[in-house]
Amino acid sequence: MKPFHTIAVPHDDILPDRLTLDVFAADLWEVYHGHGPEEYRDPDLFFQKTYPTEGRSIAY
């Protein structure tokens, strides 16, 4: 299997070497306490940058 970043074009905010572990995988404990990347603390921003995939249902 090829790494995802070799077959999909990342968002502009990811391209300038911003793809760090804290952006790629949320530390939900930090998010719960209001810390961590804005992408995970702001629900509107999170869902603008997150795409549901088959096999999971999301209730809004």
Side-chain angles (χ1 to χ4, degrees):
M1 178 185 276
K2 294 180 181 180
F4 80 94
H5 59 79
T6 65
I7 58 174
V9 178
H11 284 247
D12 289 339
D13 58 343
I14 298 299
L15 290 174
D17 296 326
R18 193 162 169 254
L19 184 58
T20 59
L21 186 57
D22 64 328
V23 173
F24 183 69
D27 180 339
L28 297 179
W29 184 250
E30 290 294 314
V31 174
Y32 174 76
H33 288 283
H35 305 290
E38 181 70 16
E39 288 87 347
Y40 294 108
R41 291 184 285 121
D42 180 338
D44 293 326
L45 184 57
F46 177 80
F47 284 107
Q48 286 174 8
K49 296 184 176 191
T50 302
Y51 300 94
T53 59
E54 290 185 33
R56 303 278 184 202
S57 61
I58 296 179
Y60 292 95

